[in-house]
């Protein structure tokens, strides 16, 4: 009885502490302190993008040290790991978006934000050309173009979808990179389902509409295929049973296996699980052409011969990795030291774009020898914040040392005190200047594979711990919940999961 009483007390206190902390976080979020206005005499730091890299930088940067300007066509940060869940309505899209205005309002010194796209960078004149592409925004607004001068520039514009110039891809498929892509997929899934259920629809057309083809067996393709299968099993089957048995997912991958970056046993586990989920995996199959209702692919058979395959589809999702953004391609052409760079801006160990002095690059648009992941981008952003905070401190210390040294020269009475202060400042300066180069610390790879199962490759002492299944799924969910950008995101995602479990996904089409 005594143990029970203590357990109750402990539970009560824990709940109270959690509620108290949540209330404090919400209150603090709604009542930010007054901001210092940007000081134009300080160095202008221009940051391109509001993704993992740039937001990692902005979150940790002391904005009082610079005149900070952010340029991005997206006025929010997107938590990409949960984007595949938005395609089926398991998670509502706004739950994984965090307005950049909210992020910037919490900085000590105000930061200027322009919703625009950087179209080119001129490293000679140190200016960025930005375009406010009004299309789709305020009706009647015209496209505006202007230039922003910079002292320091950070490029964190991410990457585009790779299509490898394969004919028909852009015209006929959906990508899965942005919120708009997930919304379009969600709408198109229901389009296919409703059209397949239309009175008098031919059997052939039903089979085409109900075949959902995913090209690319990387984590994006696998996670989407898993989410799609869950949607049909858990919701469509109950709501529209007459067509659900015609539902099919085909996952096409050019390599001999899916998830090439995961360990061998997890690749096997994933492929077996996907097959159990009735996902048709076509390996060693490279898509060569896409037409309005079918993909044409080349299959390498076991004997090495090649065969042409035509797969009809209702919805095609293209997830074959990253390609350069135009602004990055344009900059590569302007820097002679980057003439051999194909995958992005080659950077040194301090993330400085090689061949430049005042330009840094982070995330998917930078080539630093790491995989293009959110983890890498975020750590790079945090590293740059530390570097820039240190650089500002260095400038301030050097200025003060200069000032003190000249007062020493004037031989004022307090020279001993001044000399001590100089010595202490020089000591601090040595420590500040000793910034180690960027080193990525891998926290592990996680991927959802459907039917409440996930796979995880986690570094363990000097080796690797590989796990897959339902427990890993719980780990996957708790890891991503804790990594959400804000408490607001965390609460919304949790409520979405509970809502979908209790009431099912919302299949209405907006
Ligand atoms: P992004 O996050 O893509 O941000 C780029 C920013 O630049 C955006 O704000 C964009 O609007 C802006 N921008 C674009 N063009 C311009 C321009 N011309 N001028 C100014 N701004 C511009 N990684 C993981 O580690 N774990 C995961 O679980 C994971 N899941 C993923 C799921 C999906 C569906 C996808 C697509 C990716 C996933 N990733 C994951 C990869 C991860 O999202 C990327 O590696 C990460 O987003 C890269 O960060 P970034 O800052 O370089 O680019
Ligand atoms: P990816 O580059 O990881 O995989 C793309 C796949 O498409 C490759 O396996 C490639 O062989 C295949 N492919 C290319 N062209 C093809 C063709 N014509 N026909 C058939 N297959 C073809 O791309 P993805 O999945 O978009 O991921 C991009 C980055 O984001 C990666 O670094 C990935 O690690 C990261 N990411 C991580 C996630 C996670 O950790 N859970 C989730 C999603 C993305």
């Amino acid at each position: 009885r005594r143990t029970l009483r203590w357990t109750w007390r402990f539970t009560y206190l824990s709940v109270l502490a959690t509620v108290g902390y949540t209330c404090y976080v919400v209150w603090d979020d709604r009542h930010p302190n007054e901001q210092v206005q940007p000081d134009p005499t300080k160095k202008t730091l221009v940051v391109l993008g509001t993704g993992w890299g740039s937001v990692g930088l902005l979150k940790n940067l002391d904005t009082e040290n610079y005149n900070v300007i952010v340029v991005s066509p997206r006025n929010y940060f997107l938590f990409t790991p949960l984007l595949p869940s938005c395609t089926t309505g398991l998670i509502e899209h706004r739950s994984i978006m965090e307005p950049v205005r909210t992020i910037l309002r919490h900085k000590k010194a105000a930061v200027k934000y322009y919703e625009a796209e950087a179209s080119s960078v001129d490293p000679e004149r140190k200016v960025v050309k930005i375009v406010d592409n009004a299309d789709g925004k305020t009706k009647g607004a015209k496209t505006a173009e202007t230039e922003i001068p910079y002292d320091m520039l950070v490029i964190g514009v991410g990457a585009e979808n790779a299509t490898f110039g394969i004919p028909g891809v852009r015209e006929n498929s959906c990508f899965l990179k942005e919120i708009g892509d997930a919304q379009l997929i969600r709408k198109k899934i229901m389009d296919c389902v409703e059209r397949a259920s239309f009175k008098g629809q031919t059997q052939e057309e039903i089979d085409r509409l109900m075949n959902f083809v995913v090209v690319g067996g990387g984590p994006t393709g696998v996670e989407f295929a898993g989410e799609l299968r869950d949607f049909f099993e858990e919701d469509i089957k109950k709501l529209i049973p007459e067509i659900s048995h015609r539902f099919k997912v085909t996952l096409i991958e050019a390599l001999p296996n899916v998830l090439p970056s995961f360990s061998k046993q997890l690749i096997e586990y994933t492929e077996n699980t996907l097959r159990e989920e009735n996902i048709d995996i076509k390996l060693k199959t490279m898509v060569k052409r896409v037409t309005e209702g079918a993909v044409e692919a080349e299959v390498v058979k076991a004997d090495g011969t090649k065969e042409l395959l035509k797969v009809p589809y209702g919805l095609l999702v293209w997830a074959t990795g990253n390609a350069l953004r135009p602004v990055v391609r344009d900059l590569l052409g302007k820097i002679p030291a980057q003439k051999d760079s194909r995958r992005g801006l080659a950077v040194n160990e301090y993330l400085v774009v090689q061949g430049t002095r005042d330009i840094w690059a982070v995330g998917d648009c930078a080539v630093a020898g790491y995989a293009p992941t959110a983890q890498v981008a975020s750590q790079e952003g945090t590293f740059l914040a530390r570097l820039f905070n240190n650089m500002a401190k260095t400038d301030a210390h050097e200025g003060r040392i200069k000032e003190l040294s000249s007062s020493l020269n004037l031989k004022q009475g307090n020279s001993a005190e001044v000399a001590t202060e100089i010595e202490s400042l020089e000591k601090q300066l040595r420590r500040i200047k000793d910034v180690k180069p960027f080193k990525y610390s891998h926290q592990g790879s996680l991927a959802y594979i459907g039917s409440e199962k996930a796979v995880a490759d986690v570094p363990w002492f000097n080796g690797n711990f590989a796990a897959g299944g339902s427990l890993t799924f719980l780990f996957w969910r708790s890891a991503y919940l804790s990594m959400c950008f804000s408490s607001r995101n965390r609460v919304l995602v949790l409520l979405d999961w509970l809502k979908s479990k209790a009431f099912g996904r919302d299949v209405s089409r907006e």
Side-chain angles (χ1 to χ4, degrees):
R1 273 189 55 199
R2 218 166 141 223
T3 319
L4 200 69
R5 214 166 45 227
W6 275 107
T7 312
W8 271 113
R9 274 184 199 161
F10 179 73
T11 314
Y12 177 70
L13 282 175
S14 308
V15 170
L16 212 65
T18 311
V19 171
Y21 177 72
T22 310
C23 288
Y24 165 74
V25 168
V26 171
W27 188 89
D28 189 50
D29 222 43
R30 298 283 291 147
H31 300 86
N33 295 330
E34 277 298 306
Q35 282 183 307
V36 181
Q37 282 315 298
D39 180 353
T41 63
K42 295 205 164 142
K43 280 187 180 167
T44 300
L45 167 63
V46 175
V47 180
L48 304 183
T50 47
W52 281 95
S54 304
V55 166
L57 160 69
L58 291 166
K59 223 166 101 178
N60 297 289
L61 182 75
D62 184 349
T63 52
E64 274 186 310
N65 295 325
Y66 299 96
N67 176 31
V68 187
I69 300 174
V70 179
V71 177
S72 174
R74 203 169 79 186
N75 81 344
Y76 54 88
F77 166 77
L78 176 63
F79 187 76
T80 44
L82 292 179
L83 189 61
S85 304
C86 294
T87 58
T88 60
L90 178 74
I91 289 179
E92 292 297 335
H93 60 277
R94 286 200 179 267
S95 306
I96 57 166
M97 294 158 70
E98 184 69 13
V100 72
R101 298 281 183 189
T102 317
I103 301 171
L104 299 179
R105 181 61 189 87
H106 284 83
K107 300 307 297 179
K108 257 200 251 165
V111 171
K112 198 112 207 96
Y113 168 69
Y114 297 117
E115 191 186 78
E117 212 170 284
S119 56
S120 67
V121 175
D122 186 339
E124 292 288 316
R125 289 171 52 231
K126 293 178 75 168
V127 291
V128 184
K129 191 185 265 182
I130 67 165
V131 185
D132 168 19
N133 190 350
D135 201 10
K137 293 182 192 164
T138 321
K139 222 174 168 186
K142 289 201 183 80
T143 301
E145 203 176 275
T146 186
E147 283 186 345
I148 304 182
Y150 66 84
D151 296 304
M152 296 156 77
L153 174 68
V154 176
I155 306 181
V157 296
E160 276 197 351
N161 296 290
T163 63
F164 307 104
I166 297 170
V169 175
R170 288 213 179 273
E171 300 83 333
N172 299 298
S173 40
C174 294
F175 297 111
L176 183 49
K177 207 172 228 330
E178 300 289 344
I179 277 294
D181 299 335
Q183 284 173 301
L184 186 65
I185 293 174
R186 188 175 174 183
K187 185 174 166 290
K188 284 204 168 180
I189 295 172
M190 286 319 293
D191 261 346
C192 290
V193 171
E194 299 295 3
R195 276 171 62 202
S197 336
F198 189 69
K199 185 166 181 262
Q201 196 63 276
T202 65
Q203 296 302 313
E204 195 188 351
E205 185 63 355
I206 294 176
D207 282 338
R208 182 186 73 80
L209 287 167
M210 293 301 281
N211 191 15
F212 294 80
V213 174
V214 184
V215 180
T220 306
V222 167
E223 290 195 330
F224 171 67
E227 294 282 356
L228 197 55
R229 176 260 163 216
D230 290 356
F231 184 32
F232 272 80
E233 277 303 309
E234 292 165 15
D235 294 300
I236 300 290
K237 226 177 188 173
K238 289 179 193 146
L239 298 170
I240 321 168
E242 64 275 17
I243 54 132
S244 58
H245 63 284
R246 311 288 281 273
F247 164 72
K248 193 175 163 201
V249 181
T250 309
L251 179 63
I252 302 180
E253 168 56 51
L255 296 176
N257 56 270
V258 298
L259 295 185
S261 57
F262 281 69
S263 55
K264 201 166 166 278
Q265 69 189 93
L266 290 184
I267 289 173
E268 240 167 66
Y269 177 79
T270 304
E271 287 179 358
N272 290 339
T273 309
L274 294 179
R275 286 194 181 107
E276 277 165 24
E277 289 168 353
N278 285 326
I279 294 174
D280 182 12
I281 314 174
K282 294 195 185 304
L283 300 172
K284 295 190 189 169
T285 307
M286 176 161 311
V287 173
K288 296 280 183 183
R289 203 165 89 95
V290 178
T291 58
E292 210 184 313
V295 295
E296 291 167 18
E298 196 177 76
V299 190
V300 181
K301 294 202 290 188
D303 60 4
T305 57
K306 287 179 180 164
E307 187 184 55
L308 219 67
L309 180 77
K310 198 168 175 179
V311 187
Y313 67 84
L315 169 72
L316 171 64
V317 172
W318 192 266
T320 61
N322 294 341
L324 296 180
R325 291 229 187 253
V327 62
V328 173
R329 203 176 310 119
D330 175 70
L331 183 59
L332 286 177
K334 289 177 181 163
I335 307 169
Q338 298 278 344
K339 73 176 193 318
D340 296 326
S341 305
R342 296 282 171 273
R343 289 183 302 114
L345 294 157
V347 293
N348 70 12
E349 70 273 35
Y350 289 92
L351 307 180
V352 178
V353 174
Q354 282 172 14
T356 72
R357 285 192 54 202
D358 319 293
I359 307 180
W360 288 259
V362 286
D364 287 2
C365 66
V367 180
Y370 307 108
T373 64
Q375 269 189 76
V376 172
S378 166
Q379 287 183 30
E380 287 177 342
T382 309
F383 168 83
L384 273 197
R386 207 159 6 102
L387 185 75
F388 293 168
N389 291 344
N390 271 3
M391 278 162 65
K393 273 191 214 153
T394 308
D395 284 351
H397 277 48
E398 279 174 350
R400 178 82 184 129
I401 291 171
K402 220 173 182 179
E403 199 181 294
L404 289 171
S405 305
S406 53
S407 77
L408 250 185
N409 292 342
L410 295 175
K411 288 209 172 70
Q412 290 165 349
N414 56 349
S415 56
E417 271 169 43
V418 173
T420 320
E421 192 179 343
I422 291 178
E423 202 179 310
S424 141
L425 281 170
E426 277 174 344
K427 215 191 251 168
Q428 286 177 35
L429 196 59
R430 273 197 297 277
R431 216 181 43 240
I432 292 167
K433 275 187 168 173
D434 184 29
V435 181
K436 301 271 181 301
F438 173 71
K439 198 160 176 283
Y440 169 61
S441 148
H442 186 56
Q443 304 298 309
S445 305
L446 288 166
Y448 181 62
I449 59 171
S451 53
E452 306 207 332
K453 288 181 183 152
V455 286
D457 255 334
V458 184
W460 190 259
F461 295 104
N462 284 333
N464 184 57
F465 176 71
S470 304
L471 266 181
T472 315
F473 164 71
L474 292 178
F475 174 63
W476 174 84
R477 273 207 166 170
S478 45
Y480 282 156
L481 193 64
S482 69
M483 280 159 56
C484 279
F485 187 86
S486 63
S487 309
R488 188 187 71 95
N489 289 153
R490 231 163 271 137
V491 171
L492 292 179
V493 166
L494 194 63
L495 289 178
D496 285 343
W497 281 337
L498 293 173
K499 198 174 70 185
S500 302
K501 194 86 195 161
F503 307 110
R505 295 163 181 83
D506 184 347
V507 297
S508 48
R509 210 150 41 96
E510 283 169 56

